[in-house]
Amino acid sequence: MATHKDGLPKADTLPAPDGDEAPVSMKTHWPVLVAVGAGTFMSALDASIVNVALPTIRVEMLSTVSDVEWVVSAYLLVVSCTLLVFGRLGDLRGHKNAYLAGFGVFGISSALCGFAPSTWALVAFRTLQAIGAAMLFANSPAILTRTFPGRLRGRVLGLTAAMTYLGLTIGPPLGGWLTTTFS
């Protein structure tokens, strides 16, 4: 364990309680938690942010209620149906690779959603976005459990769950603000 001259642990590490596990470096381990937390936050935020904007989307894109409902339904359906597939992909090809690919797919499809010319284009881009979100959701726990020792896993998984629920909580008010501010 890295210590100062006085025998106290250095500030950038957390000591192992019984010496059987290596110390956790604040410089290398905690950025992983921040990256995974950001991905789960954004995926959850995106799942809830659009709900408030559906009436405006319907009016702006001259759609029917049944057509615009697919904006939300397609996202939730695709995430639910592909979680296991992308979890297995992470097992086979590496969780980090699957997670990073998911971040890329999610980011690009989010930009495409902002420029969707029609309701059905928005549904298609949201479907692509849901694939990226499923890649993030499916591989986040595996990345965290492989990065952090057993004594910290409950804490980091709990913090990631908190980020998910924070995204779900912030989504509707942020969606309302964006809709009224930018239409």
Side-chain angles (χ1 to χ4, degrees), residues 14 24-26 28-34 148 152 155-156 159:
L14 295 176
V24 176
S25 170
M26 300 288 271
T28 59
H29 286 70
W30 295 103
V32 173
L33 177 61
V34 170
F148 288 89
L152 294 175
R155 184 176 301 161
V156 297
L159 288 170

Side-chain angles (χ1 to χ4, degrees), residues 18 31 46 56 72-73 77 87 142 158 160 165 183:
D18 54 8
D46 199 67
T56 304
V72 174
S73 298
L77 187 64
T160 303
Y165 288 110
S183 79

